[in-house]
């Protein structure tokens, strides 16, 4: 009679559950396995951005290579597919008008990449307002930003919260700038300073307006006469307007009071 094969129980032991090994019959653990599962992000395509200004070219610590290395290591750690690193060498961070940055942003806007990686936030922009604008653009276009020095990654809830806080401060800064500008203009007006664009109308045109106005003609009639004569407008507009004629005529009032010389023909 053939012996019946011994069947092992399919029920896991306590050692199999808690991930420990035993080396004796008493079940004393010999080693504890600490395994952190890796998150696969191969589906995420990233682009990097590096920048140095003219003054920083000799500073190897903030140089282009150091920034590239930090971005590459971060992408490897997160298992991102780093497609390209865009570069602006010798470019100021005072605004976003940089060819390398614009190329990176266009790549993200087209959906060719999902996240922009920078080693330091000031490499992207030194303006909190510009940064807030980029965050709004990223939200609308559906891409994220990772600033390694701040630990900000807007693809995570924590990073999104930090970006929201920075956007709030940017709005606060915009309000302060607007308030300071308004107060400064009020002071200038109280001092009699004339604000706005400087006049670019030739003195002969102003004299002609004065002559036609005192013919007498209405402001509208003066504007029509200037159009018929082919007189160019102040800022390249297609035709003259009565309000423009009135403004120029009234601005010329001090001259008329101090100098009564008759205006000659154009």
């Amino acid at each position: 009679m053939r012996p019946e094969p011994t069947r092992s129980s399919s029920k896991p032991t306590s050692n199999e559950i808690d991930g420990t090994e035993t080396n004796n019959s008493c079940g004393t653990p010999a080693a504890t396995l600490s395994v952190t599962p890796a998150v696969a992000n191969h589906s995420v395509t990233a682009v990097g951005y590096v920048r140095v200004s003219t003054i920083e070219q000799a500073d190897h610590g903030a140089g282009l290579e150091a920034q590239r290395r930090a971005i590459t290591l971060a992408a490897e750690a997160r298992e991102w597919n780093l497609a390209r690193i865009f570069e602006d060498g010798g470019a100021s961070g005072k605004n976003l008008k940089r060819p390398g940055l614009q190329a990176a942003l266009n790549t993200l806007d087209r959906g060719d990449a999902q996240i922009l990686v920078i080693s330091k936030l000031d490499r992207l922009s030194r303006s909190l307002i510009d940064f807030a604008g980029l965050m709004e653009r990223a939200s609308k276009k559906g891409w994220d930003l990772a600033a390694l020095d701040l630990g900000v990654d807007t693809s995570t809830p924590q990073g999104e919260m930090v970006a929201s806080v920075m956007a709030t401060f940017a709005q606060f800064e915009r309000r302060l700038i607007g308030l300071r500008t308004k107060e400064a203009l009020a002071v200038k007006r109280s001092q009699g300073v004339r604000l706005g664009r400087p006049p670019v109308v030739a003195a002969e045109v102003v004299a002609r307006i004065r002559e036609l106005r005192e013919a007498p003609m209405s402001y509208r009639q003066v504007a029509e006469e200037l159009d018929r004569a082919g007189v160019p407008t102040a800022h390249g507009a297609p035709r003259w307007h009565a309000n423009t004629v009135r403004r120029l005529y009234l601005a010329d009032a001090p001259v008329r009071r101090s100098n009564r010389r008759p205006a000659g023909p154009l």
Side-chain angles (χ1 to χ4, degrees), residues 173-253:
E173 184 178 357
R174 278 192 292 266
R175 294 288 299 274
L176 287 180
I177 291 173
L179 180 60
R180 288 194 294 265
T181 302
K182 184 177 180 180
E183 292 174 346
L185 291 177
V187 171
K188 292 292 185 181
R189 290 192 187 97
S190 67
Q191 296 173 347
V193 177
R194 185 175 179 178
L195 304 174
R197 290 183 295 184
V200 293
V201 178
E204 293 83 358
V205 176
V206 177
R208 182 61 173 162
I209 291 174
R210 182 170 65 246
E211 178 184 339
L212 294 173
R213 176 63 180 160
E214 294 174 355
M217 285 187 178
S218 67
Y219 293 122
R220 181 179 58 81
Q221 290 172 329
V222 172
E224 291 173 350
E225 179 61 27
L226 294 174
D227 286 336
R228 278 193 293 268
V231 178
T233 59
H235 299 284
R239 62 189 181 89
W240 285 89
H241 295 278
N243 286 338
T244 304
V245 173
R246 179 179 180 275
R247 178 176 56 80
L248 292 172
Y249 180 76
L250 295 178
D252 188 54

Side-chain angles (χ1 to χ4, degrees), residues 127-137 166-167 170-171 174:
S127 167
L128 188 58
I129 295 177
D130 284 344
F131 175 76
L134 283 175
M135 289 296 91
E136 184 178 356
R137 178 174 177 174
M166 297 180 72
Q171 176 64 17
R174 278 192 292 266

Side-chain angles (χ1 to χ4, degrees), residues 64-109:
L64 296 174
E65 288 303 321
Q67 295 176 55
R68 288 194 194 94
R69 184 164 54 252
I71 291 171
T72 301
L73 291 175
E76 291 175 353
R78 293 164 173 81
E79 298 187 1
W80 290 332
N81 174 30
L82 183 60
R84 180 177 175 183
I85 297 179
F86 293 88
E87 174 186 324
D88 280 313
S92 171
K94 65 181 180 180
N95 58 50
L96 304 178
K97 296 179 180 179
R98 288 166 258 152
L101 176 59
Q102 291 303 316
L105 296 177
N106 291 335
T107 299
L108 292 156
D109 289 346

